[in-house]
Amino acid sequence: MPAKRPSGIEFDASDADGQLMEQAFERLKPPPEDLKPSPAPPALPSPPTRAKRVPLTNRPDDEIDLHGMTREEAIHAVQNFILSSHRAGFRNVLIITGRGRRSGGQGPVLKQSVEQWLQRNGKPYLRDFGEAPGEWGGAGALWVFLKN
């Protein structure tokens, strides 16, 4: 059953509506000082990106190059590298994965596999990791921050 419309209420729009609204707002007095909204707080700085966290003058404490390794060899090497780097008290290390140019349509297989391993298994040893700065390999390397 269709809803009933209230009877006797009609709204006519006219050109005078805009003028009436302007007049109504002109008659309003400004609010007292204590009711005015406070100024907006200053904008928070944007969180740093991983690339910004790595000082450009900083060098990795150690590095490993995975070029030419199979996925299984690379994961085994990364596992040993992370464990030994953590034991040695290193703060940051570099994992060179390559850009995956010879991976075909699969994309950078080693980089994806290493990132997955670090995400799943690295929590006890890592603070964070991300793409290395350009001078340290950029998209072809991962900069890893180890826990102390």
Side-chain angles (χ1 to χ4, degrees):
M1 176 173 190
K4 291 184 181 180
R5 299 181 75 189
S7 62
I9 300 176
E10 293 183 21
F11 295 96
D12 289 327
S14 72
D15 293 335
D17 287 344
Q19 293 171 352
L20 291 173
M21 290 301 288
E22 284 178 23
Q23 290 172 1
F25 280 109
E26 285 175 2
R27 285 188 228 134
L28 292 175
K29 294 179 182 174
E33 286 297 318
D34 59 339
L35 291 180
K36 285 187 177 180
S38 59
L44 296 174
S46 59
T49 62
R50 288 184 174 156
K52 288 183 183 174
R53 288 191 208 152
V54 180
L56 300 179
T57 58
N58 203 0
R59 300 182 59 84
D61 295 320
D62 200 1
E63 62 184 64
I64 186 172
D65 189 341
L66 306 178
H67 279 100
M69 293 186 188
T70 66
R71 183 182 312 181
E72 291 76 23
E73 291 169 337
I75 294 301
H76 185 71
V78 166
Q79 181 179 3
N80 290 334
F81 177 68
I82 293 296
L83 292 174
S84 63
S85 297
H86 185 262
R87 272 191 233 119
F90 294 154
R91 296 179 59 94
N92 52 64
V93 294
L94 183 69
I95 300 174
I96 302 166
T97 60
R99 296 180 191 267
R101 292 190 175 131
R102 291 187 285 161
S103 298
Q106 301 175 43
V109 175
L110 289 183
K111 183 176 181 182
Q112 291 172 357
S113 298
V114 169
E115 285 178 334
Q116 288 174 355
W117 186 89
L118 292 172
Q119 288 170 349
R120 291 180 185 153
N121 305 297
K123 285 186 182 18
Y125 312 102
L126 309 180
R127 283 188 294 131
D128 202 2
F129 71 91
E131 189 174 290
E135 64 270 18
W136 290 102
L142 295 169
W143 195 278
V144 180
F145 298 90
L146 298 168
K147 289 182 180 177
N148 295 340

